[in-house]
Amino acid sequence: MHCKKILPHLALIRIPYLAFEGKGTTFVNLYLIIDEELVLIDSGPWGKTSIEILSSSLAGLGFSLKDITRVIYTHAHPDHMGGGVQLNRNGNFSQLIYHEALGKVEQYGEYVEMFKSLCKEAFF
């Protein structure tokens, strides 16, 4: 189970991030504020599995990716903000981050897009 409502207006969504042989899997914790707006705290890592888990977690709560109105990034690590690049294709929401981390977020988005482009050219 990846999603758990921990308060009436707050849900915890756990996204698997790294698996270590014999030591288990690490998870990234995302939080969903359920109020007049649907606010996601961190977006998790970039990847199809992450988006699928987020999508199914939202569905279990009666929402979809398009219902997210804001994403607030707590910090600029790829495991906490990488999924925002993908989410941006699925909806129209505000993205908020501490001003000193903004450059890293923008650079990461450019890096993901460049890497995807290179992979398409090389493998397709």
Side-chain angles (χ1 to χ4, degrees):
M1 178 153 166
H2 295 282
C3 183
K4 175 182 174 185
K5 210 161 185 189
I6 54 178
L7 292 171
H9 297 284
L10 185 67
L12 167 66
I13 301 169
R14 299 190 61 184
I15 307 286
Y17 185 53
L18 297 172
F20 297 98
E21 192 173 321
K23 296 190 182 205
T25 301
T26 61
F27 291 84
V28 178
N29 292 330
L30 314 181
Y31 294 91
L32 185 69
I33 299 171
I34 305 163
D35 203 2
E36 292 175 12
E37 294 185 68
L38 201 60
V39 180
L40 186 63
I41 308 296
D42 290 328
S43 62
W46 182 86
K48 183 179 177 185
T49 302
S50 297
I51 294 298
E52 288 172 351
I53 291 170
L54 178 57
S55 183
S56 68
S57 295
L58 289 170
L61 296 167
F63 302 106
S64 74
L65 293 173
K66 293 183 189 291
D67 294 324
I68 296 171
T69 56
R70 296 180 191 266
V71 176
I72 300 172
Y73 301 106
T74 59
H75 59 286
H77 288 167
D79 58 328
H80 286 261
M81 46 69 86
V85 174
Q86 279 181 293
L87 281 175
N88 202 31
R89 293 188 190 105
N90 295 315
N92 187 18
F93 55 86
S94 305
Q95 298 183 67
L96 307 157
I97 189 163
Y98 180 56
H99 69 93
E100 290 184 8
L102 181 60
K104 292 181 182 175
V105 172
E106 290 170 342
Q107 288 172 354
Y108 184 76
E110 291 170 9
Y111 167 77
V112 167
E113 291 302 321
M114 179 200 66
F115 189 72
K116 284 176 45 185
S117 176
L118 291 173
C119 287
K120 281 183 179 179
E121 290 173 18
F123 300 109
F124 297 103

